[in-house]
């Protein structure tokens, strides 16, 4: 995937901020699908793993809905470095206190190409090969519904997050053609990303120095 070329598809006009009410409706749909699957397969979720920063809200929602106490966050982030775009792991998965055959629900925000979600689940499987991984995203791109390390996948709503579908195809499939700006997100940060520029986080230098490079684009 050439992330540089993919980012050229976007402009600030593509973003539409979703309301909290609409977001809760999406999370409710997601929770209903997970609940059905668990009932049909006689499963209980042992651990919720939100992919930070974005999935903090969705992770909290499913943890409370399914009565899960143990939340083990992970964090990955794209960085626009001088000569390359990298995906870095800021917070690795901590397997302490988790049984070898646990059912782990990994929760992602806005699964577009799915590269971060795939990296997160692959890293967990590498550490704990016998766990069952359920992978859930509030919104999931219609054209990239894949995560090879997950035993089952769920979404609240399908999206056109990668702009792979035409507007006519979106209408036919009843998919919102714009890109979600979540209630907590900053427009200036998102604009920096689609421009291929590094946003000036307060702790940027420290984070890059202390994180592990996972992929280069």
């Amino acid at each position: 995937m050439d992330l540089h070329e993919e980012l050229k598809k976007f402009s600030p006009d593509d973003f539409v901020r979703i309301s909290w009410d609409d977001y809760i409706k999406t999370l409710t749909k997601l929770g209903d699908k997970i609940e059905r699957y668990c009932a049909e397969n006689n499963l209980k979720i042992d651990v919720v793993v939100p992919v930070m920063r974005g999935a903090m809200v969705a992770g909290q929602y499913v943890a409370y809905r399914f009565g899960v106490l143990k939340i083990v966050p992970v964090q990955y982030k794209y960085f626009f470095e001088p000569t390359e775009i990298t995906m870095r792991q800021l917070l690795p998965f901590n397997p302490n206190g988790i049984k070898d055959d646990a059912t782990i629900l990994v929760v992602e925000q806005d699964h577009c190409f799915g590269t971060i979600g795939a990296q997160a689940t692959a890293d967990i499987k590498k550490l704990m090969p016998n766990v069952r991984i359920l992978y859930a995203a509030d919104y999931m791109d219609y054209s990239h519904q894949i995560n090879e390390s997950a035993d089952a996948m769920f979404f609240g709503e399908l999206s056109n997050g990668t702009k792979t579908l035409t507007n006519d195809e979106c209408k036919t499939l009843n998919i919102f053609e714009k890109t979600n700006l979540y209630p907590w997100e900053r427009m200036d940060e998102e604009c920096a990303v689609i421009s291929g520029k590094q946003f000036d986080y307060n702790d940027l230098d420290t984070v890059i120095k202390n994180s592990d490079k996972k992929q280069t684009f």
Side-chain angles (χ1 to χ4, degrees):
M1 179 183 68
D2 188 337
L3 193 54
H4 296 85
E5 290 300 318
E6 294 298 336
L7 290 174
K8 290 179 182 178
K9 296 179 181 178
F10 296 89
S11 75
D13 292 337
D14 290 317
F15 290 95
V16 175
R17 190 176 294 279
I18 59 175
S19 69
W20 279 106
D21 285 345
D22 286 340
Y23 188 59
I24 291 299
K25 289 176 184 177
T26 297
L27 290 183
T28 301
K29 290 180 182 179
L30 175 64
D32 290 346
K33 293 175 182 178
I34 298 169
E35 185 173 334
R36 257 192 318 272
Y37 179 86
C38 289
E40 291 169 356
N41 292 275
N42 194 29
L43 290 177
K44 285 189 177 180
I45 298 166
D46 298 300
V47 185
V48 170
V49 178
V51 182
M52 309 296 277
R53 293 182 294 163
M56 179 187 294
V57 177
Q60 291 275 27
Y61 169 83
V62 295
Y64 274 90
R65 173 158 178 174
F66 294 104
V68 180
L69 183 58
K70 193 169 184 65
I71 300 177
V72 182
V74 297
Q75 188 172 3
Y76 298 78
K77 182 68 176 173
Y78 293 114
F79 290 91
F80 297 87
E81 302 186 38
T83 59
E84 61 188 8
I85 300 175
T86 63
M87 180 207 295
R88 290 180 170 272
Q89 182 187 55
L90 283 63
L91 180 63
F93 178 72
N94 184 350
N96 290 346
I98 301 174
K99 60 184 182 180
D100 291 341
D101 61 347
T103 296
I104 297 176
L105 175 60
V106 177
V107 186
E108 173 65 306
Q109 171 205 353
D110 201 13
H111 168 116
C112 290
F113 295 101
T115 50
I116 285 181
Q119 186 69 58
T121 54
D123 287 344
I124 293 171
K125 274 286 190 180
K126 185 176 181 179
L127 284 172
M128 304 187 73
N130 296 321
V131 298
R132 182 195 296 259
I133 295 182
L134 311 182
Y135 176 73
D138 46 17
Y139 289 85
M140 183 174 291
D141 183 76
Y142 176 86
S143 304
H144 295 84
Q145 300 179 57
I146 186 169
N147 186 317
E148 294 181 353
S149 299
D151 296 280
M153 293 178 60
F154 311 89
F155 58 83
E157 297 280 1
L158 289 173
S159 72
N160 189 31
T162 63
K163 294 177 73 70
T164 303
L165 301 174
T166 66
N167 285 350
D168 286 341
E169 288 172 328
C170 287
K171 290 176 182 177
T172 299
L173 295 166
N174 196 29
I175 292 173
F176 186 53
E177 70 274 12
K178 294 284 189 176
T179 301
N180 289 324
L181 186 67
Y182 288 76
W184 56 87
E185 286 184 325
R186 293 176 53 158
M187 189 65 196
D188 57 347
E189 182 178 347
E190 298 308 309
C191 284
V193 171
I194 63 173
S195 301
K197 298 177 181 178
Q198 181 58 56
F199 185 73
D200 187 20
Y201 300 102
N202 292 343
D203 51 352
L204 178 63
D205 292 341
T206 301
V207 167
I208 290 179
K209 180 180 178 181
N210 293 291
S211 59
D212 292 329
K213 185 187 296 186
K214 286 290 184 176
Q215 296 187 45
T216 301
F217 302 91

Short mmCIF file of all heavy atoms in Angstrom, two decimals, residues 142-168:
data_model
loop_
_atom_site.label_atom_id
_atom_site.label_comp_id
_atom_site.label_asym_id
_atom_site.label_seq_id
_atom_site.Cartn_x
_atom_site.Cartn_y
_atom_site.Cartn_z
N TYR A 142 -15.87 -0.75 3.72
CA TYR A 142 -16.54 -1.80 2.95
C TYR A 142 -15.55 -2.63 2.14
O TYR A 142 -15.71 -3.84 2.00
CB TYR A 142 -17.57 -1.15 2.01
CG TYR A 142 -18.26 -2.12 1.08
CD1 TYR A 142 -19.41 -2.81 1.50
CD2 TYR A 142 -17.79 -2.36 -0.20
CE1 TYR A 142 -20.05 -3.70 0.67
CE2 TYR A 142 -18.42 -3.25 -1.05
CZ TYR A 142 -19.55 -3.91 -0.61
OH TYR A 142 -20.18 -4.81 -1.45
N SER A 143 -14.52 -1.98 1.62
CA SER A 143 -13.58 -2.64 0.70
C SER A 143 -12.42 -3.33 1.39
O SER A 143 -11.60 -3.95 0.72
CB SER A 143 -13.04 -1.60 -0.30
OG SER A 143 -14.09 -0.95 -0.98
N HIS A 144 -12.34 -3.23 2.72
CA HIS A 144 -11.20 -3.81 3.43
C HIS A 144 -11.66 -4.52 4.70
O HIS A 144 -11.15 -4.29 5.79
CB HIS A 144 -10.18 -2.72 3.77
CG HIS A 144 -9.55 -2.09 2.58
ND1 HIS A 144 -10.14 -1.06 1.88
CD2 HIS A 144 -8.39 -2.36 1.94
CE1 HIS A 144 -9.36 -0.72 0.87
NE2 HIS A 144 -8.30 -1.49 0.88
N GLN A 145 -12.61 -5.43 4.55
CA GLN A 145 -13.14 -6.17 5.68
C GLN A 145 -12.29 -7.43 5.91
O GLN A 145 -12.69 -8.54 5.62
CB GLN A 145 -14.60 -6.56 5.42
CG GLN A 145 -15.53 -5.38 5.21
CD GLN A 145 -16.96 -5.80 4.94
OE1 GLN A 145 -17.58 -6.51 5.75
NE2 GLN A 145 -17.51 -5.39 3.81
N ILE A 146 -11.09 -7.21 6.46
CA ILE A 146 -10.17 -8.34 6.66
C ILE A 146 -9.29 -8.10 7.88
O ILE A 146 -8.90 -6.98 8.17
CB ILE A 146 -9.30 -8.55 5.39
CG1 ILE A 146 -8.44 -9.81 5.54
CG2 ILE A 146 -8.44 -7.32 5.12
CD1 ILE A 146 -7.75 -10.24 4.27
N ASN A 147 -9.05 -9.18 8.59
CA ASN A 147 -8.08 -9.21 9.68
C ASN A 147 -7.72 -10.68 9.87
O ASN A 147 -8.47 -11.44 10.47
CB ASN A 147 -8.63 -8.61 10.97
CG ASN A 147 -7.58 -8.51 12.05
OD1 ASN A 147 -6.79 -9.42 12.26
ND2 ASN A 147 -7.57 -7.38 12.75
N GLU A 148 -6.59 -11.08 9.35
CA GLU A 148 -6.24 -12.50 9.26
C GLU A 148 -5.95 -13.14 10.61
O GLU A 148 -6.00 -14.37 10.73
CB GLU A 148 -5.04 -12.67 8.33
CG GLU A 148 -5.34 -12.31 6.87
CD GLU A 148 -4.15 -12.51 5.96
OE1 GLU A 148 -3.05 -12.80 6.47
OE2 GLU A 148 -4.34 -12.35 4.73
N SER A 149 -5.66 -12.36 11.63
CA SER A 149 -5.37 -12.92 12.95
C SER A 149 -6.61 -13.06 13.82
O SER A 149 -6.53 -13.61 14.93
CB SER A 149 -4.32 -12.06 13.67
OG SER A 149 -3.11 -12.02 12.95
N ALA A 150 -7.73 -12.58 13.34
CA ALA A 150 -8.97 -12.60 14.13
C ALA A 150 -9.78 -13.86 13.83
O ALA A 150 -9.85 -14.31 12.69
CB ALA A 150 -9.80 -11.36 13.85
N ASP A 151 -10.41 -14.40 14.87
CA ASP A 151 -11.29 -15.56 14.70
C ASP A 151 -12.68 -15.15 14.27
O ASP A 151 -13.42 -15.95 13.69
CB ASP A 151 -11.36 -16.33 16.02
CG ASP A 151 -10.02 -16.92 16.42
OD1 ASP A 151 -9.65 -17.97 15.87
OD2 ASP A 151 -9.32 -16.31 17.25
N ALA A 152 -13.05 -13.90 14.55
CA ALA A 152 -14.34 -13.36 14.10
C ALA A 152 -14.22 -11.85 14.06
O ALA A 152 -13.46 -11.25 14.82
CB ALA A 152 -15.47 -13.79 15.03
N MET A 153 -14.99 -11.24 13.16
CA MET A 153 -14.95 -9.78 12.98
C MET A 153 -16.34 -9.19 13.06
O MET A 153 -17.32 -9.82 12.64
CB MET A 153 -14.33 -9.43 11.62
CG MET A 153 -12.87 -9.78 11.49
SD MET A 153 -12.23 -9.36 9.85
CE MET A 153 -12.54 -7.59 9.82
N PHE A 154 -16.41 -7.97 13.59
CA PHE A 154 -17.69 -7.29 13.75
C PHE A 154 -17.51 -5.80 13.44
O PHE A 154 -16.44 -5.24 13.65
CB PHE A 154 -18.19 -7.43 15.20
CG PHE A 154 -18.16 -8.83 15.72
CD1 PHE A 154 -17.03 -9.32 16.35
CD2 PHE A 154 -19.25 -9.66 15.56
CE1 PHE A 154 -16.99 -10.62 16.84
CE2 PHE A 154 -19.22 -10.97 16.03
CZ PHE A 154 -18.09 -11.45 16.66
N PHE A 155 -18.59 -5.18 12.97
CA PHE A 155 -18.58 -3.74 12.75
C PHE A 155 -19.94 -3.18 13.15
O PHE A 155 -20.95 -3.88 13.13
CB PHE A 155 -18.28 -3.40 11.28
CG PHE A 155 -19.25 -4.01 10.30
CD1 PHE A 155 -20.47 -3.39 10.03
CD2 PHE A 155 -18.95 -5.19 9.65
CE1 PHE A 155 -21.37 -3.95 9.13
CE2 PHE A 155 -19.84 -5.76 8.75
CZ PHE A 155 -21.05 -5.13 8.49
N GLY A 156 -19.92 -1.90 13.53
CA GLY A 156 -21.18 -1.22 13.80
C GLY A 156 -21.82 -0.79 12.50
O GLY A 156 -22.99 -1.06 12.23
N GLU A 157 -21.04 -0.07 11.68
CA GLU A 157 -21.48 0.38 10.37
C GLU A 157 -20.35 0.20 9.37
O GLU A 157 -19.17 0.28 9.72
CB GLU A 157 -21.86 1.87 10.40
CG GLU A 157 -23.03 2.22 11.30
CD GLU A 157 -24.38 1.93 10.67
OE1 GLU A 157 -24.41 1.43 9.52
OE2 GLU A 157 -25.40 2.19 11.34
N LEU A 158 -20.71 -0.03 8.12
CA LEU A 158 -19.74 -0.03 7.04
C LEU A 158 -19.53 1.39 6.55
O LEU A 158 -20.45 2.22 6.61
CB LEU A 158 -20.20 -0.93 5.90
CG LEU A 158 -20.17 -2.44 6.19
CD1 LEU A 158 -20.80 -3.20 5.03
CD2 LEU A 158 -18.75 -2.93 6.44
N SER A 159 -18.33 1.67 6.06
CA SER A 159 -18.01 3.02 5.62
C SER A 159 -17.28 2.97 4.29
O SER A 159 -16.95 1.91 3.76
CB SER A 159 -17.12 3.71 6.66
OG SER A 159 -15.81 3.16 6.63
N ASN A 160 -17.02 4.16 3.78
CA ASN A 160 -16.17 4.31 2.59
C ASN A 160 -14.91 5.07 3.00
O ASN A 160 -14.48 6.01 2.35
CB ASN A 160 -16.92 5.06 1.48
CG ASN A 160 -16.18 5.05 0.16
OD1 ASN A 160 -15.45 4.10 -0.16
ND2 ASN A 160 -16.36 6.09 -0.63
N GLY A 161 -14.32 4.62 4.12
CA GLY A 161 -13.21 5.33 4.71
C GLY A 161 -11.99 5.46 3.83
O GLY A 161 -11.20 6.39 3.98
N THR A 162 -11.81 4.53 2.89
CA THR A 162 -10.65 4.60 1.99
C THR A 162 -10.99 5.24 0.65
O THR A 162 -10.13 5.31 -0.23
CB THR A 162 -10.09 3.19 1.73
OG1 THR A 162 -11.08 2.41 1.05
CG2 THR A 162 -9.70 2.50 3.03
N LYS A 163 -12.23 5.67 0.51
CA LYS A 163 -12.69 6.31 -0.74
C LYS A 163 -12.50 5.39 -1.95
O LYS A 163 -12.22 5.82 -3.07
CB LYS A 163 -12.00 7.65 -0.98
CG LYS A 163 -12.38 8.70 0.06
CD LYS A 163 -11.64 10.00 -0.15
CE LYS A 163 -12.14 10.77 -1.35
NZ LYS A 163 -13.49 11.31 -1.12
N THR A 164 -12.65 4.10 -1.72
CA THR A 164 -12.55 3.12 -2.80
C THR A 164 -13.83 3.07 -3.63
O THR A 164 -13.80 2.90 -4.85
CB THR A 164 -12.25 1.72 -2.23
OG1 THR A 164 -11.05 1.77 -1.46
CG2 THR A 164 -12.08 0.70 -3.34
N LEU A 165 -14.98 3.25 -2.96
CA LEU A 165 -16.27 3.23 -3.64
C LEU A 165 -16.59 4.60 -4.23
O LEU A 165 -16.19 5.63 -3.68
CB LEU A 165 -17.38 2.85 -2.65
CG LEU A 165 -17.28 1.50 -1.95
CD1 LEU A 165 -18.39 1.38 -0.91
CD2 LEU A 165 -17.35 0.35 -2.95
N THR A 166 -17.31 4.59 -5.34
CA THR A 166 -17.81 5.85 -5.89
C THR A 166 -19.03 6.29 -5.08
O THR A 166 -19.61 5.51 -4.32
CB THR A 166 -18.22 5.67 -7.36
OG1 THR A 166 -19.35 4.77 -7.42
CG2 THR A 166 -17.08 5.11 -8.20
N ASN A 167 -19.42 7.54 -5.24
CA ASN A 167 -20.61 8.03 -4.54
C ASN A 167 -21.85 7.25 -4.94
O ASN A 167 -22.73 6.98 -4.11
CB ASN A 167 -20.81 9.52 -4.82
CG ASN A 167 -19.82 10.39 -4.06
OD1 ASN A 167 -19.10 9.93 -3.19
ND2 ASN A 167 -19.78 11.67 -4.40
N ASP A 168 -21.95 6.87 -6.21
CA ASP A 168 -23.10 6.08 -6.67
C ASP A 168 -23.10 4.71 -6.00
O ASP A 168 -24.17 4.19 -5.62
CB ASP A 168 -23.07 5.93 -8.19
CG ASP A 168 -23.46 7.21 -8.92
OD1 ASP A 168 -24.09 8.08 -8.27
OD2 ASP A 168 -23.15 7.33 -10.11
#
